Amino acid sequence: MDRAGIVLSGLCAVHCVLGVVLVGFLGLGGDFLGGKVLLSPEIHRVGLMLAVIVGVISLGFGVARHGRVAPLVIGGLGLALMATAILVGHGTAESVLTIIGVSFVAFAHIRNMRHTH
């Protein structure tokens, strides 16, 4: 599950960067390359829901296995940043909050894997 969390975090970061590049730098979006889908708020809600599910399961079980709470706390902070990003709406602030959040989540999964093995 930790590997899935790391992969999901990476995909989320790529999604954010791609969105910023398409809209901010290239002035594209809308229907271009599925821009409506790429920039849809639903993508963020579904991504956050998946991140919470994977995070709670893997980081929560990690605490039970190795007894260290730090990965769960770090992951929780990342998820909180991701949730905050949804509230600020599309734009640079959303992308920055999301990328920082998914970085925390990925780092938490890496630490969880190290403590478990």
Side-chain angles (χ1 to χ4, degrees):
M1 288 296 282
D2 285 313
R3 285 186 177 92
I6 294 166
V7 169
L8 286 173
S9 295
L11 290 173
C12 187
V14 168
H15 170 262
C16 285
V17 170
L18 186 59
V20 168
V21 168
L22 280 176
V23 175
F25 295 119
L26 300 178
L28 303 172
D31 291 327
F32 182 78
L33 293 176
K36 281 188 176 182
V37 174
L38 178 68
L39 302 175
S40 168
E42 287 304 309
I43 294 279
H44 298 111
R45 290 185 190 106
V46 169
L48 179 61
M49 183 179 65
L50 288 172
V52 168
I53 291 168
V54 170
V56 166
I57 292 170
S58 64
L59 298 174
F61 282 133
V63 172
R65 273 184 261 145
H66 53 66
R68 297 184 182 172
V69 181
L72 183 62
V73 172
I74 294 167
L77 175 61
L79 292 171
L81 289 169
M82 290 168 63
T84 302
I86 290 174
L87 300 175
V88 299
H90 285 305
T92 304
E94 175 196 25
S95 295
V96 170
L97 285 168
T98 301
I99 290 170
I100 292 170
V102 298
S103 297
F104 274 102
V105 171
F107 179 66
H109 284 294
I110 291 167
R111 287 201 48 177
N112 198 47
M113 283 177 21
R114 286 186 180 160
H115 293 314
T116 301
H117 295 99

